Amino acid sequence: MRIFYVSELGAQGIVKLLRRAAEHVEDHIALTVGEIVADVMAGGDEALCRHTLLHDGCELDPSTIEATAGELASAAAEVSPADTEILAIAARRIEKYHQKQLLALRNEDWHYHEGEGIRLGQLIRPLKRVGLYAPGGRAAYPSSVLMAAIPARVAGVSEVFLVSPLRGGRLNPLVALAARISGINRVFKIGGAQAVAALAYGTETIPPVDKIVGPGNAYVTAAKKRVYGQVAIDMIAGPSEILIIADRNSDPALVAADLLGQAEHDEMACAILVTPDASLAARVKEEIDIQISGLPRHDIARRALEDHGAIVISQNIDEAFELANLYGPEHLEIMLPQPEAWLKKVENAGCVFLGESTPETIGDYMAGSNHILPTGGTARFSSPLGVYDFIKRTSVVCFSPEDLAAFGTAAARFARLEGLDGHARSINLRVERNAASGLSAKPSNKS
């Protein structure tokens, strides 16, 4: 792992070195995805099945695109009772956490009155239909199915669909089990860019959705970018990240284990330690050398650490937090004594993990908080997936004739300032008619 000193490069310089350039989809991927999306838009189920055979090697016809209840039950039954209970426990904890978000959202209509004649407010409504993407092969993540489906259901989404490709002609048993536990309504046995296109535009078998969420490969990501605007999407997720802030009191073996836990995701994963203690940095490097050889995915972890890992020596803990906020990591571990006291320093992070007994991995599976998090520094302006991602707000405005007269002259003048005489006329016509009927502006000190 590379070692940098903030005192030499400055915090901004360190972040520039660490922050990979925005991932640009390669031209051939964007071109291929554009062709697939256009083909599915035009050809519906027939094109969907053709691309599934071409790209996934699975032969489907329109009658077999959707998984039956029997198929889901059969696939889920392959999971052992002990493992089934683990997913069930995780689902209960995820639901409990996301139910609490409803309190913050005030998941109900609200309004207020100005005097007797003006009413302003909002309608709060869930999205009608949401599509979830889940990889189905070696990179199957049933935890992400739970993390996406449960908040959608808590929010009150009427229909939750899942698309996930077959591998070897079979549904992934863990994905099927997660779909059943989380209450997904319909499961379609397709993947790739063609699945994203089908969710966005609809086919004879798959109705179009309002939002698409969930992780996928470069083709899935490119397709989500392509269809954005036709539907909403959750985020453009990049490689996983962790930044750990530690000091001389921290256990180097635990720090190394958590860095390796992120690095084993893939070769683009980013694992960073920031500490003011050079001796801890040296001990963590030693621990990584010891622990990495025992990982089945050691080659992936080693490449990730070499290319995207770093140990940063800060001058003090305050500077470590300055760097963390500039970086805006997906996962931030505060491995310091009394970690809660440092929360006030955190400005930009997807999820914060407090203390040595709270590794990032607990957040992936059993904490209940959502592990679909902003990456690539987007924690500066975006948030973890949650109930709020599946709820929309509609403004409500109501004026009495008297109140329209009170504010109408100013509104009409404002419209004309923007060159929109038709806008002004729509107000003035009402005000004039109301005046003729004896409904004039009432005295008001409103602003």
Side-chain angles (χ1 to χ4, degrees), residues 64-349:
T64 58
I65 289 174
E66 184 173 357
T68 65
E71 286 180 289
L72 286 172
S74 177
E78 296 181 35
V79 183
S80 70
D83 289 342
T84 298
E85 179 59 17
I86 287 174
L87 266 69
I89 293 170
R92 290 194 293 270
R93 293 188 59 77
I94 294 165
E95 181 164 2
K96 181 178 180 180
Y97 180 92
H98 288 85
Q99 285 283 357
K100 300 295 185 185
Q101 290 183 343
L102 291 175
L103 300 176
L105 278 170
R106 293 181 60 197
N107 190 31
E108 56 187 25
D109 299 349
W110 60 267
H111 67 270
Y112 67 93
H113 287 87
E114 290 184 356
E116 298 178 0
I118 299 177
R119 179 184 177 184
L120 301 171
Q122 281 190 331
L123 304 179
I124 310 296
R125 299 289 185 267
L127 302 181
K128 178 177 174 55
R129 187 182 293 138
V130 170
L132 315 181
Y133 189 96
R138 288 179 298 174
Y141 298 113
S143 57
S144 292
V145 176
L146 300 179
M147 294 287 180
I150 290 173
R153 183 164 50 76
V154 169
V157 175
S158 301
E159 296 178 274
V160 182
F161 296 166
L162 176 69
V163 292
S164 188
L166 300 176
R167 286 294 178 267
R170 309 173 59 243
L171 284 167
N172 182 285
L174 288 168
V175 169
L177 176 61
R180 298 189 80 200
I181 288 175
S182 58
I184 286 173
N185 300 97
R186 300 175 70 180
V187 177
F188 302 100
K189 301 175 290 186
I190 54 169
Q194 62 270 22
V196 174
L199 289 173
Y201 296 99
T203 70
E204 297 87 341
T205 300
I206 303 175
V209 302
D210 302 312
K211 188 165 191 171
I212 300 172
V213 305
N217 62 18
Y219 288 88
V220 171
T221 299
K224 287 170 70 176
K225 288 182 179 179
R226 179 85 179 203
V227 302
Y228 176 66
Q230 173 68 25
V231 293
I233 61 173
D234 51 350
M235 62 186 75
I236 301 299
S240 193
E241 306 163 342
I242 190 169
L243 188 148
I244 300 174
I245 297 177
D247 66 5
R248 60 185 178 82
N249 300 293
S250 306
D251 186 330
L254 297 181
V255 175
D258 292 357
L259 292 170
L260 288 168
Q262 267 323 278
E264 73 173 353
H265 265 291
D266 60 65
E267 293 177 352
M268 294 295 290
C270 196
I272 301 166
L273 166 64
V274 184
T275 179
D277 191 271
S279 64
L280 175 71
R283 286 181 290 155
V284 168
K285 284 195 69 171
E286 292 173 2
E287 278 290 338
I288 286 173
D289 291 338
I290 294 169
Q291 294 183 30
I292 197 169
S293 60
L295 290 177
R297 296 165 66 90
H298 61 88
D299 287 339
I300 293 172
R302 191 180 305 278
R303 180 66 179 272
L305 292 178
E306 288 175 352
D307 293 347
H308 303 290
I311 295 174
V312 179
I313 310 298
S314 62
Q315 297 181 77
N316 50 53
I317 293 296
D318 284 336
E319 189 175 64
F321 278 95
E322 177 187 351
L323 180 68
N325 286 324
L326 287 170
Y327 188 79
E330 177 187 18
H331 307 105
L332 173 63
E333 286 191 2
I334 303 177
M335 296 181 69
L336 302 170
Q338 299 180 323
E340 294 88 351
W342 294 98
L343 265 179
K344 61 181 180 294
K345 292 281 188 179
V346 178
E347 295 177 4
N348 303 319

Side-chain angles (χ1 to χ4, degrees), residues 2-5 9-21 270 272 307-310 312 327:
R2 299 166 294 171
I3 294 181
F4 302 110
Y5 285 83
L9 294 174
Q12 292 280 6
I14 294 290
V15 170
K16 187 175 180 180
L17 283 171
L18 296 179
R19 175 62 62 207
R20 64 177 65 85
C270 196
I272 301 166
D307 293 347
H308 303 290
V312 179
Y327 188 79

Side-chain angles (χ1 to χ4, degrees), residues 110-121 396-408 441-447:
W110 60 267
H111 67 270
Y112 67 93
H113 287 87
E114 290 184 356
E116 298 178 0
I118 299 177
R119 179 184 177 184
L120 301 171
V396 175
V397 179
C398 180
F399 271 59
S400 69
E402 295 86 355
D403 283 292
L404 181 63
F407 288 96
K442 56 187 177 183
S444 175
N445 294 319
K446 298 169 187 170
S447 59

